Amino acid sequence: MLIVLALFLAAPLLSSCGLRPLYGNANSASAQTLGAVEIGDIPGRAGYLMRGALQARLGAVVQQEPRYRLEVVLDDQITGFGVRADNAVTRERRALRARFQLVTADRGTVLLDDTAGSDSGIDVVSSEYATIAAENTALERLTEIVADEIVARIALYAQRRADQQELELETEAVQ
């Protein structure tokens, strides 16, 4: 009974911890920014997959007139390791790194310049076809992971910028 009473009294304190959903609703700063982003061209197969993954994530938000452009440069590398005595590679690591910039569509001012990336391990088997299929599957999975990271960082940037602007307005109102 005492534990239930303590939890009941602590509940209001937990609700005011300051946590809130990053994407909020359609009127949140994050959703407004994500809905106004167009994606620049990204060359190569990895670029095609990344552009599709980003469009799927940004397309889920209410689309607006583009105010921002997302420029992405990918670095996709496969490195062999796990070498046997006959110098045959038994394991590979596929690393996908993305340097991305969020720029204003009208002036080209860089608002956010960051990197995101992920790695995946691949077993090299006797079948070349199976190894190539595993490398392609790894690339598809990595583009999804990196796209999630890019969108989350843009949303976080937008929310922090909105919070900063709100704080500046409150400071001006007090003075």
Side-chain angles (χ1 to χ4, degrees):
M1 181 71 171
L2 187 58
I3 294 173
V4 173
L5 180 61
L7 289 174
F8 181 73
L9 292 175
L13 296 174
L14 293 175
S15 67
S16 63
C17 68
L19 291 177
R20 58 184 171 186
L22 179 60
Y23 299 106
N25 57 34
N27 295 325
S28 71
S30 297
Q32 292 293 318
T33 299
L34 292 175
V37 173
E38 72 175 344
I39 304 164
D41 291 333
I42 311 169
R45 174 165 165 65
Y48 170 79
L49 292 170
M50 179 61 69
R51 185 173 167 79
L54 289 168
Q55 285 175 331
R57 283 147 182 80
L58 296 174
V61 183
V62 177
Q63 292 298 304
Q64 306 169 16
E65 187 67 30
R67 295 188 320 259
Y68 310 101
R69 187 176 64 255
L70 180 62
E71 297 175 355
V72 180
V73 176
L74 295 177
D75 180 22
D76 177 28
Q77 295 184 357
I78 298 177
T79 307
F81 64 99
V83 181
R84 291 191 315 226
D86 63 351
N87 286 335
V89 174
T90 59
R91 189 104 171 117
E92 294 177 336
R93 174 180 294 132
R94 186 163 207 159
L96 182 65
R97 303 284 179 257
R99 177 167 185 225
F100 62 96
Q101 293 181 325
L102 183 68
V103 298
T104 56
D106 56 352
R107 294 186 180 159
T109 304
V110 177
L111 302 174
L112 177 64
D113 187 351
D114 206 347
T115 59
S118 188
D119 297 16
S120 181
I122 302 164
D123 286 327
V124 178
V125 295
S126 59
S127 168
E128 189 175 335
Y129 174 78
T131 302
I132 291 170
E135 290 172 351
N136 289 335
T137 300
L139 179 59
E140 292 168 6
R141 191 171 50 250
L142 290 172
T143 55
E144 298 289 325
I145 293 167
V146 174
D148 284 339
E149 195 173 333
I150 291 171
V151 171
R153 289 191 188 175
I154 293 171
L156 186 59
Y157 162 78
Q159 189 60 50
R160 286 181 178 165
R161 190 177 77 182
D163 290 346
Q164 181 65 32
Q165 290 172 345
E166 186 177 313
L167 182 63
E168 290 171 1
L169 288 174
E170 287 176 5
T171 304
E172 287 178 10
V174 170
Q175 296 174 354

